[in-house]
Amino acid sequence: MRANYSDLAAFAAVVRAGGFRAAAVSGQQSASVLSDAVKRLEESVGMRLLNRTTRKVATTEAGRRLFERLDPALGEVSAALDVLEDMRGRPAGKLTLNVPLSVVRSALMDIVPEFLASHPDITLDLNIDESFVDVVAAGCDAGIRYEERLEQDMIAIPIGPRRQRFAAAASPSYLDRKGLPQVPADLLRHSCLRGRFASGSMPTWEFEKDGQTLFVDPDGPMIVTIGAGIELVVQTAVAGGGIVYLFEDWLQPLFKSGELEPVLADWWPEFSGPFLYYPGRRLVPPPLRAFIDFVRRRPHPKA
């Protein structure tokens, strides 16, 4: 035996109101629509639920018993829907994002504290991961990656700086000993501190100037996993251990302090900033929708 929810709701509304017309006045359906719904319900259960006269509607014994059990259940359903409505008005729950460490530093450091302060009912779960993952399969609501690594069939919006650059740098003591490289090929004669993805691939160092792009694959005394080992690479460079190649915004504080000096600055390549991406679903989870709206309202720094 199966009954349509809307037919059950119509039956309960008629019983509460004491008639079809009264139920129609208090609801958003006509008396004839309510009457048809009750008829369908009676046919589905195989019993008469209401006795109808020209002046009065009364429940049968079966109708009375059904209403006694149905009315509290419909109240629970209504309360559950009210919870969802409240979440839509004040988003709550967990928001899981998959992001690389570089984005944590370049974008999320500024965004997250303000977002959490304005949405106290949302818990932000950040998976810091440099590898390229399927965010849906990984159980994440969304991810943040750079343009060349975005998944297809995803909606993407800019987050953080619109433009960024990679920068090469070394300590004054290192440059005093080894000299300042003048062109990217000079790096092949220097100690370069390298990074490697968890997959094992090691990205080459890219440089560009006047429309010319060069890729360099230098050697050096250290190779670390990109993400977890980057701080060690930076500190090794500060200590004079070699040349580091990293996001410019990571290195700017060290340029200002004088702990590192720019190397080949007129060759630093520029690229588009990171994007928040998520599946193109019609119904976006409320915590993610709140984060998307928050990001869109914020001005994007140029770099």
Side-chain angles (χ1 to χ4, degrees), residues 121-140:
D121 295 325
I122 292 178
T123 298
L124 184 60
D125 185 352
L126 288 179
N127 295 339
I128 312 300
D129 188 355
E130 300 297 323
S131 62
F132 185 58
V133 301
D134 182 333
V135 292
V136 176
C140 298

Side-chain angles (χ1 to χ4, degrees), residues 74-90:
L74 291 176
E76 287 297 318
V77 172
S78 179
L81 293 175
D82 287 342
V83 170
L84 296 182
E85 184 65 26
D86 183 63
M87 286 181 64
R88 187 167 62 177
R90 184 177 179 178

Side-chain angles (χ1 to χ4, degrees), residues 165-169 180-183 207-209 248 255 261-270:
R165 291 196 301 176
F166 275 117
L180 180 66
Q182 300 300 312
V183 294
F207 297 91
E208 61 182 26
K209 181 180 179 181
E248 179 187 7
F255 292 152
E261 293 184 4
V263 172
L264 298 170
D266 53 347
W267 282 91
W268 292 350
E270 186 178 87

Side-chain angles (χ1 to χ4, degrees), residues 2-209:
R2 290 192 176 184
N4 185 284
Y5 173 82
S6 60
D7 292 346
L8 288 167
F11 164 74
V14 171
V15 175
R16 286 193 214 99
F20 290 97
R21 290 184 180 178
V25 170
S26 61
Q28 298 180 345
Q29 294 178 304
S30 67
S32 61
V33 169
L34 292 170
S35 178
D36 290 340
V38 172
K39 288 179 182 178
R40 284 194 302 270
L41 178 60
E42 289 177 329
E43 290 174 359
S44 68
V45 300
M47 296 181 183
R48 178 180 290 276
L49 302 174
L50 295 177
N51 287 320
R52 307 162 178 82
T53 67
T54 56
R55 295 185 177 182
K56 187 177 179 181
V57 171
T59 57
T60 64
E61 178 63 16
R64 181 184 64 79
R65 291 191 178 186
L66 175 61
F67 180 75
E68 287 175 352
R69 300 292 297 273
L70 178 62
D71 195 45
L74 291 176
E76 287 297 318
V77 172
S78 179
L81 293 175
D82 287 342
V83 170
L84 296 182
E85 184 65 26
D86 183 63
M87 286 181 64
R88 187 167 62 177
R90 184 177 179 178
K94 181 184 288 187
L95 170 60
T96 304
L97 300 179
N98 183 281
V99 303
L101 181 60
S102 58
V103 170
V104 173
R105 298 194 59 155
S106 66
L108 296 187
M109 289 288 195
D110 293 331
I111 292 174
V112 166
E114 186 179 345
F115 173 74
L116 293 179
S118 61
H119 296 83
D121 295 325
I122 292 178
T123 298
L124 184 60
D125 185 352
L126 288 179
N127 295 339
I128 312 300
D129 188 355
E130 300 297 323
S131 62
F132 185 58
V133 301
D134 182 333
V135 292
V136 176
C140 298
D141 297 300
I144 302 177
R145 287 295 184 274
Y146 288 89
E147 189 170 10
E148 71 275 9
R149 303 190 73 195
L150 291 177
E151 296 183 41
Q152 294 183 346
D153 302 323
M154 290 281 179
I155 297 174
I157 63 172
I159 182 171
R162 293 293 180 93
R163 304 298 299 176
Q164 291 183 269
R165 291 196 301 176
F166 275 117
S171 70
S173 63
Y174 176 87
L175 295 176
D176 288 342
R177 295 195 322 269
K178 300 288 188 176
L180 180 66
Q182 300 300 312
V183 294
D186 290 346
L187 294 173
L188 298 175
R189 298 187 294 273
H190 280 265
S191 299
C192 295
L193 309 173
R194 302 293 301 273
R196 178 175 54 209
F197 288 114
S199 64
S201 65
M202 188 180 302
T204 56
W205 291 9
E206 179 180 350
F207 297 91
E208 61 182 26
K209 181 180 179 181

